[in-house]
C-alpha cells in the first residue's frame, strides 16, 4: 500500500512565500524591535507597539485565511 | 471576601438550566445514533456541517484557560501578554502543515484516532504505543486542568454561598459537573459532545463579547486603565526585554507546533462532512482570537489596575474577582455577569468533555484493541469505550479533589509531550524515507530531553527548564526532528 498518497491538487506547503509572510507576522507580534527603555507613545489608549502587534495579528489571520481558501485544493472538496 | 456576589441562588438556577439543556442534548445525540460503532460514537459518522464543526472547534480550543488562566497570566506578565492573540491564531497555521493530506486519508481509510493515521504510515507497535501514550498524557493534563478550573470558578463565584450552607463548593462542583459531563458524553458520544459544544460555543462568544464591553466600559475605559498601570505598576506597562521576547516567541511556536497535536482537535478534522466545510471552519477560526483572546487580555489589564498586589495564586482568580466587583458596583448588569459566568463554565466543560472522549477513543482503539487475541466486534469496543470514560473520570475527579497533589508538577508538561508527535504527521505524511525506527528514536529522545530539562531544573541541577528562554519541548522537538532528518538522509532505499 502506498502510504504517501497525495490526495490534494494544491496545498499550503507548496507556497513557501506565504509561510514566510505568515511567520514574519508572528515575529512582529512580539516587540523585540522596540528599543529598551524607550517610553511608548500612546495611541487611542494603547502603546504604539501594541498597535503593531494587533496589525500584525490581523495580517497574519488574513494570510492564513487566504492559504486555507486559495491554496488548499483537495482532489474532491465534497469527499 | 468582601467583593463576592450574593446572588448565589440566581447563579445556581441559571447553571442548573444550562446543565439540564446539556443532558437533553446528550439524549438527542443518543437518539440520532445510526449504529453502535467506534466511528459513529467518536466521530459522529463524519457528518458535521459548517455550523456544528465551527462551534465545536471553537468551544474545544477555548477552554477554562481562556477565562481563568489567560487573565491571570496577563495580570502577572502585564501588557506583553498581548502576544497571546498571535499564539492562539498560530494553531490554525499549524494545521496547514499536515491537514490537507491527513483529512482525505482519514475518510478513505476510516481513521478514528490520530494514532490510526500514524500506525497506518508507520506499522510498528512501538510507534503506536509511544505516540498513543504521548497523546494521552496531553489529554489527561487537559481534563485535570479543566476539572480544577471548574472547582475554582464555582468556588470563586459561589464560595460564600456554599460556606454559609456548610458545604465544600470546590469539591461539589468538581464531582457534580464531572458526573454531568460523563452522562451526556456516554449517552451520545461525539454527537452529544459537539452539539453541546455548539451551545457552549454560542454562550462563549456571547460571554466574551460581554466581558470585553463590561471590562472596558465599567472601569473608565482602556485609556484610564493604561494610565493607572503606568503610574502604579510600570513593570507591567513597558514592553519586555530581549529575554522576555524570546520567551514569548518560544510560547507562540510551542502552540503553533503543539496545538494542532491535540487529539480531540484532530478528531474534529476527521468529523467534517467535507473538505470544503473544514476549510470554511478553519478560515473563520483564525480570526476568533480577536474576539476571544483579546477581550480576556483586556480583562487581565483591567484587573492590574483594579486589584494591585495580588499573589500568584490570587491572580488566577482575577476573572471572578472582576465579575464580582462588577455585580457589586452595578447591580443592573447582573444578567450580563451571570451570562459570563455560565459561559466560563461552558468553556471549561466543552473542552473537558472533548478531551475525555478523545482519551477514551485512543485507549480503546490504540491500546486496548491491539491487546485482544481476536478481532473484537464494534459493539464490544463501543461498550469498553463507555466504561473506560466512567473509570477515567472517576480517577481524575479523585486526583482533582486535591489540587496540591505533587504529581501536578509533571503534568505541567503538556505541549512538551504533544509536540513530539508532530514529525509523525508533518514529516511522515510527506516523506517515504522516514522509517519507524528513526521516528520512534526521535519521539523517545525528544521526550527524554524535554522531561530531563524540566526535572533537571526542578532538582536544581540546571538554572532553568528553558535554556535561553526557549521551552524544554522546543529543544526536544529540535532533537526529535534532527533525528528524523538524519533518518531521511541515511535512507536511500526509497529514492
Amino acid at each position: 500500500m502506498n502510504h504517501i498518497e497525495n490526495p490534494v491538487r494544491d496545498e499550503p506547503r507548496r507556497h513557501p512565500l506565504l509561510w514566510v509572510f505568515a511567520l514574519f507576522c508572528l515575529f512582529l507580534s512580539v516587540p523585540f524591535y522596540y528599543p529598551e527603555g524607550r517610553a511608548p507613545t500612546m495611541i487611542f489608549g494603547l502603546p504604539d507597539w501594541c498597535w503593531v502587534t494587533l496589525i500584525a495579528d490581523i495580517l497574519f489571520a488574513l494570510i492564513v485565511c487566504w492559504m486555507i481558501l486559495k491554496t488548499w485544493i483537495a482532489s474532491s472538496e465534497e469527499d | 471576601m468582601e467583593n463576592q456576589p450574593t446572588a448565589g441562588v440566581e447563579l445556581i438556577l441559571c447553571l442548573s438550566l444550562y446543565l439540564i439543556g446539556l443532558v437533553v442534548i446528550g439524549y438527542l445525540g443518543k437518539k440520532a445514533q445510526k449504529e453502535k460503532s467506534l466511528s459513529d460514537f467518536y466521530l459522529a459518522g463524519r457528518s458535521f456541517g459548517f455550523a456544528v464543526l465551527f462551534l465545536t472547534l471553537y468551544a474545544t480550543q477555548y477552554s477554562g484557560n481562556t477565562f481563568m488562566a489567560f487573565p491571570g497570566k496577563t495580570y502577572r506578565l502585564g501588557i506583553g501578554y498581548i502576544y497571546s492573540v498571535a499564539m492562539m491564531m498560530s494553531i490554525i497555521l499549524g494545521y496547514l502543515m499536515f491537514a490537507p493530506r491527513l483529512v482525505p486519508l482519514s475518510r478513505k481509510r476510516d481513521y478514528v484516532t490520530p494514532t490510526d493515521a500514524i500506525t497506518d504510515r508507520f506499522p510498528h507497535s512501538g510507534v503506536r504505543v509511544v505516540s498513543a501514550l504521548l497523546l494521552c498524557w496531553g489529554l489527561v493534563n487537559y481534563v485535570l486542568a479543566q476539572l480544577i478550573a471548574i472547582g475554582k470558578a464555582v468556588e470563586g463565584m459561589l464560595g460564600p454561598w456554599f460556606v454559609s450552607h456548610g458545604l465544600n463548593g470546590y469539591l461539589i462542583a468538581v464531582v457534580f459537573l464531572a458526573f454531568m459531563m460523563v452522562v451526556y458524553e456516554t449517552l451520545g458520544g461525539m454527537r452529544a459532545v459537539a452539539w453541546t459544544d455548539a451551545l457552549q460555543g454560542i454562550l462563549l462568544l456571547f460571554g466574551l463579547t460581554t466581558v470585553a464591553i463590561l471590562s472596558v466600559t465599567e472601569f473608565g475605559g482602556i485609556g484610564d486603565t493604561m494610565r493607572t498601570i503606568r503610574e502604579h505598576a510600570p513593570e507591567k506597562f513597558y514592553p519586555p526585554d530581549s529575554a522576555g521576547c524570546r520567551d514569548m516567541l518560544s510560547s507562540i511556536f510551542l502552540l503553533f507546533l503543539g496545538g494542532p497535536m491535540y487529539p480531540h482537535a484532530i478528531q474534529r478534522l476527521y468529523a467534517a462532512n467535507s473538505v470544503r466545510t473544514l476549510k470554511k471552519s478553519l478560515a473563520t477560526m483564525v480570526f476568533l482570537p480577536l474576539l476571544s483572546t483579546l477581550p480576556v487580555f483586556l480583562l487581565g489589564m483591567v484587573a492590574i489596575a483594579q486589584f494591585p498586589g495580588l499573589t500568584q495564586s490570587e491572580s488566577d482568580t482575577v476573572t471572578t474577582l472582576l465579575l464580582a466587583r462588577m455585580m457589586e458596583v452595578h447591580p443592573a448588569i447582573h444578567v450580563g455577569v451571570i451570562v459570563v459566568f455560565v459561559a466560563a463554565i461552558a468553556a471549561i466543560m466543552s473542552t473537558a468533555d472533548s478531551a475525555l472522549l478523545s482519551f477514551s477513543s485512543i485507549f480503546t482503539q490504540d491500546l486496548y484493541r491491539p491487546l485482544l487475541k481476536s478481532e473484537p466486534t464494534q459493539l464490544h469496543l463501543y461498550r469498553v469505550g463507555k466504561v473506560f470514560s466512567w473509570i477515567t473520570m472517576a480517577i481524575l475527579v479523585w486526583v482533582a479533589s486535591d489540587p496540591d497533589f505533587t504529581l501536578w508538577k509533571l503534568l505541567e508538561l503538556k505541549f512538551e509531550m504533544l509536540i513530539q508527535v508532530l514529525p509523525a504527521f508533518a514529516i511522515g505524511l510527506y516523506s517515504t524515507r522516514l522509517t519507524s525506527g528513526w521516528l520512534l528514536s526521535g519521539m523517545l529522545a525528544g521526550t527524554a530531553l524535554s522531561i530531563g530539562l524540566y526535572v533537571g531544573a526542578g532538582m536544581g541541577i540546571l538554572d532553568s527548564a528553558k535554556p535561553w528562554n526557549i521551552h524544554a519541548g522546543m529543544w526536544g522537538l529540535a532533537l526529535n526532528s534532527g533525528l528524523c532528518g538524519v533518518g531521511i538522509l541515511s535512507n536511500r532505499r526509497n529514492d
Side-chain angles (χ1 to χ4, degrees):
Chain A
M1 195 190 324
N2 175 18
H3 293 286
I4 315 290
E5 287 180 12
N6 188 2
V8 291
R9 283 195 280 151
D10 195 6
E11 62 181 315
R13 279 175 69 131
R14 295 181 196 161
H15 300 266
L17 204 56
L18 287 172
W19 285 85
V20 171
F21 285 144
L23 292 176
F24 181 66
C25 289
L26 280 186
F27 273 92
L28 269 188
S29 67
V30 173
F32 62 88
Y33 54 83
Y34 210 79
E36 262 182 59
R38 181 179 149 178
T41 307
M42 301 302 282
I43 303 168
F44 297 117
L46 279 177
D48 45 9
W49 65 269
C50 281
W51 287 106
V52 175
T53 298
L54 288 175
I55 291 166
D57 291 346
I58 293 167
L59 275 175
F60 175 82
L62 288 170
I63 293 168
V64 175
C65 184
W66 176 270
M67 288 166 86
I68 293 169
L69 297 177
K70 298 292 177 186
T71 70
W72 175 357
I73 304 167
S75 300
S76 168
E77 294 275 308
E78 295 303 329
D79 185 13
Chain B
M1 207 178 285
E2 60 178 1
N3 47 9
Q4 293 289 358
T6 51
V9 178
E10 286 174 32
L11 278 174
I12 289 174
L13 196 66
C14 289
L15 203 53
S16 306
L17 283 175
Y18 160 72
L19 292 174
I20 292 168
L22 294 186
V23 175
V24 171
I25 291 174
Y27 178 72
L28 293 175
K30 183 177 171 63
K31 298 291 276 182
Q33 254 178 15
K34 294 190 174 78
E35 58 186 21
K36 289 185 175 175
S37 68
L38 290 186
S39 178
D40 196 78
F41 188 69
Y42 290 117
L43 300 180
R46 301 173 209 270
S47 60
F48 291 156
F50 171 72
V52 173
L53 184 67
F54 162 68
L55 285 168
T56 186
L57 275 169
Y58 173 62
T60 302
Q61 184 160 330
Y62 293 89
S63 62
N65 265 340
T66 314
F67 267 103
M68 308 298 287
F70 277 33
K73 197 151 186 192
T74 306
Y75 183 91
R76 293 189 294 276
L77 291 184
I79 199 164
Y81 199 56
I82 197 169
Y83 78 84
S84 55
V85 178
M87 187 170 77
M88 295 306 286
M89 284 180 172
S90 71
I91 296 174
I92 306 298
L93 181 65
Y95 286 124
L96 300 188
M97 286 187 287
F98 59 86
R101 289 205 184 185
L102 176 65
V103 173
L105 281 177
S106 73
R107 304 176 72 77
K108 195 172 172 187
R109 303 196 183 183
D110 212 16
Y111 298 153
V112 173
T113 67
T115 324
D116 282 344
I118 297 173
T119 44
D120 188 26
R121 166 68 180 84
F122 301 99
H124 183 286
S125 58
V127 170
R128 174 174 50 76
V129 171
V130 170
S131 54
L133 290 177
L134 285 171
L135 295 173
C136 283
W137 182 299
L139 288 169
V140 165
N141 170 309
Y142 216 37
V143 180
L144 269 173
Q146 304 308 314
L147 290 179
I148 290 194
I150 277 183
K152 286 193 170 170
V154 172
E155 195 180 32
M157 284 302 282
L158 294 164
W161 187 87
F162 279 112
V163 170
S164 67
H165 288 76
L167 301 166
N168 181 344
Y170 175 87
L171 196 61
I172 290 175
V174 170
V175 173
F176 182 65
L177 294 176
F179 174 75
M180 297 299 284
M181 274 188 271
V182 191
V183 166
Y184 68 73
E185 185 211 295
T186 50
L187 267 176
M190 175 67 114
R191 253 185 215 90
V193 167
W195 290 354
T196 51
D197 279 357
L199 170 68
Q200 288 155 339
I202 292 166
L203 270 172
L204 189 56
L205 260 177
F206 191 62
L208 285 168
T209 313
T210 312
V211 160
I213 295 168
L214 290 181
S215 60
V216 174
T217 58
E218 295 302 314
F219 296 100
I222 195 70
D224 277 359
T225 298
M226 288 296 167
R227 267 189 293 279
T228 310
I229 297 172
R230 189 177 202 165
E231 281 170 26
H232 301 293
E235 74 284 1
K236 292 178 181 175
F237 175 78
Y238 289 98
D241 59 12
S242 58
C245 286
R246 277 200 306 277
D247 203 304
M248 291 174 173
L249 269 179
S250 173
S251 298
I252 292 176
F253 275 82
L254 192 70
L255 256 80
F256 162 48
L257 301 168
M261 288 296 103
Y262 267 138
H264 49 293
I266 291 178
Q267 286 180 305
R268 274 156 180 73
L269 305 184
Y270 293 174
N273 67 8
S274 71
V275 174
R276 192 190 305 276
T277 302
L278 177 63
K279 282 165 54 181
K280 270 165 57 184
S281 302
L282 291 177
T284 314
M285 277 281 291
V286 74
F287 291 96
L288 283 189
L290 294 168
L291 296 174
S292 308
T293 318
L294 193 57
V296 290
F297 163 75
L298 291 175
L299 192 75
M301 293 305 287
V302 171
I304 298 174
Q306 294 294 317
F307 305 106
L310 296 182
T311 62
Q312 167 138 2
S313 66
E314 285 172 339
S315 67
D316 277 333
T317 62
V318 291
T319 306
T320 47
L321 285 176
L322 267 175
L323 292 179
R325 172 71 63 87
M326 287 175 195
M327 281 175 94
E328 193 183 63
V329 177
H330 298 282
I333 58 169
H334 230 75
V335 177
V337 173
I338 289 175
V339 166
V340 174
F341 175 69
V342 176
I345 297 294
I348 298 170
M349 290 180 73
S350 60
T351 303
D353 60 22
S354 307
L356 179 71
L357 189 72
S358 190
F359 187 52
S360 140
S361 69
I362 292 175
F363 172 83
T364 311
Q365 175 83 337
D366 304 320
L367 297 174
Y368 172 76
R369 186 178 189 167
L371 290 177
L372 301 176
K373 284 183 184 146
S374 57
E375 181 60 20
T377 63
Q378 286 288 310
L379 185 63
H380 174 78
L381 294 173
Y382 164 85
R383 284 178 179 155
V384 167
K386 283 188 173 197
V387 170
F388 186 66
S389 285
W390 279 99
I391 295 171
T392 309
M393 193 54 119
I395 295 171
L396 293 181
V397 165
W398 174 68
V399 177
S401 64
D402 177 13
D404 298 324
F405 193 50
T406 45
L407 268 181
W408 275 115
K409 278 285 165 203
L410 265 184
L411 288 171
E412 282 175 13
L413 292 171
K414 177 175 61 179
F415 288 113
E416 272 81 356
M417 301 288 113
L418 287 173
I419 207 170
Q420 306 309 331
V421 184
L422 179 69
F425 290 101
I427 303 176
L429 287 172
Y430 291 82
S431 169
T432 52
R433 287 162 60 180
L434 178 61
T435 60
S436 303
W438 281 103
L439 177 75
L440 184 60
S441 310
M443 285 197 292
L444 289 172
T447 306
L449 179 60
S450 304
I451 294 177
L453 285 171
Y454 195 78
V455 173
M459 293 171 69
I461 300 166
L462 299 169
D463 289 340
S464 161
K466 294 197 268 188
W468 211 57
N469 296 91
I470 292 174
H471 288 78
M474 295 296 291
W475 292 109
L477 180 66
L479 175 63
N480 181 348
S481 309
L483 283 171
C484 290
V486 172
I488 288 171
L489 289 174
S490 63
N491 181 6
R492 302 279 173 195
R493 280 174 303 168
N494 290 317
D495 275 352

